[in-house]
Amino acid sequence: EPEVTQTPSHQVTQMGQEVILRCVPISNHLYFYWYRQILGQKVEFLVSFYNNEISEKSEIFDDQFSVERPDGSNFTLKIRSTKLEDSAMYFCASSSGPPVVSYNEQFFGPGTRLTVL
Amino acid sequence: DAKTTQPTSMDCAEGRAANLPCNHSTISGNEYVYWYRQIHSQGPQYIIHGLKNNETNEMASLIITEDRKSSTLILPHATLRDTAVYYCIVSSASGGYQKVTFGIGTKLQVIP
């Protein structure tokens, strides 16, 4: 069964450093998302991406964040200068596009745990 | 998107049916009801969705009331692996995508 994969599973970084979280969405999916979950809190939407551009982003997704689809398979989330409060589990998700647009089943990856020291 | 209300937690005996309720009294005509779950430390997992008819798949059944103001997710024979947080989400299906807005959900504990 196809699945979303994410690397690394755990990333430890120093405050102020740049990190890149990587995701490989399901191959025929067209819509890509990043979510995060701070320990003990709700899963929060960060950004959605379609046709090589951001479709929607939340207030959390400020100038320190960026997303990219550098090739036909990877989808990345970059945090330019990490802060302590960026410590969280980051989930990538993907969903299919046309012709199935009548519902929104998103497939989530296992997550990357980011720890900022 | 319409708001949903779910109990914070529930217990269910292993092998019994788990019935998870959700209220969505402000749901509008083009909004679907989705259920996801999150097993501890894993990514959320889609379970099922519906508009107004009852739905069943290999994981669960979804019963939506006729007025669509509430629904129940049924896990027919709960196992220990079904212990998770279950999220009821109401969302429109316009366009090709829609962010999933997670609430606190219902923490289901399946008891041996």
Side-chain angles (χ1 to χ4, degrees), chain A residues 38-57:
Chain A
I38 295 170
L39 187 64
Q41 298 187 22
K42 297 187 292 186
V43 177
E44 300 173 290
F45 168 78
L46 292 178
V47 66
S48 59
F49 190 86
Y50 169 70
N51 200 23
N52 282 320
E53 60 184 26
I54 291 173
S55 306
E56 184 178 356
K57 59 183 180 180

Side-chain angles (χ1 to χ4, degrees), chain B residues 5 18 23 25 33 40 45 50 55 76 82 87 93-94 98 101 105-106:
Chain B
T5 305
N23 286 319
S25 58
V33 180
H40 183 61
Q45 178 189 23
E55 302 288 344
D82 292 322
Y87 302 100
S94 60
Q98 193 70 229
T101 301
T106 297

Side-chain angles (χ1 to χ4, degrees), chain A residues 8-109:
Chain A
S9 56
H10 192 185
Q11 174 89 47
V12 181
T13 189
Q14 294 290 326
M15 189 170 56
Q17 294 296 303
E18 174 183 288
V19 295
I20 297 176
L21 310 182
R22 290 181 167 80
C23 168
V24 178
I26 293 172
S27 62
N28 62 344
H29 282 185
L30 301 177
Y31 298 89
F32 314 113
Y33 314 82
W34 284 100
Y35 294 80
R36 80 170 187 191
Q37 186 174 33
I38 295 170
L39 187 64
Q41 298 187 22
K42 297 187 292 186
V43 177
E44 300 173 290
F45 168 78
L46 292 178
V47 66
S48 59
F49 190 86
Y50 169 70
N51 200 23
N52 282 320
E53 60 184 26
I54 291 173
S55 306
E56 184 178 356
K57 59 183 180 180
S58 71
E59 293 174 350
I60 303 168
F61 195 88
D62 61 21
D63 292 343
Q64 293 300 310
F65 291 86
S66 63
V67 289
E68 194 178 29
R69 189 152 162 82
D71 53 43
S73 60
N74 290 285
F75 180 51
T76 63
L77 174 69
K78 182 193 291 187
I79 309 175
R80 288 191 184 82
S81 177
T82 50
K83 306 188 235 326
L84 295 176
E85 54 265 38
D86 293 328
S87 293
M89 184 76 95
Y90 288 80
F91 295 108
C92 172
S94 68
S95 62
S96 60
V100 182
V101 294
S102 62
Y103 61 87
N104 182 35
E105 176 184 350
Q106 293 188 16
F107 294 81
F108 285 77

Side-chain angles (χ1 to χ4, degrees), chain B residues 8-65:
Chain B
T8 306
S9 64
M10 291 181 66
D11 291 340
C12 177
E14 188 179 16
R16 304 296 294 269
N19 297 281
L20 293 95
C22 179
N23 286 319
H24 32 79
S25 58
T26 61
I27 192 170
S28 61
N30 69 340
E31 289 182 316
Y32 285 72
V33 180
Y34 299 86
W35 284 83
Y36 283 78
R37 73 179 181 183
Q38 186 177 24
I39 296 169
H40 183 61
S41 296
Q42 296 183 23
Q45 178 189 23
Y46 165 86
I47 302 172
I48 199 168
H49 76 280
L51 183 61
K52 48 186 171 182
N53 297 323
N54 297 338
E55 302 288 344
T56 296
N57 63 19
E58 66 278 3
M59 289 183 68
S61 295
L62 174 60
I63 309 296
I64 302 173
T65 57

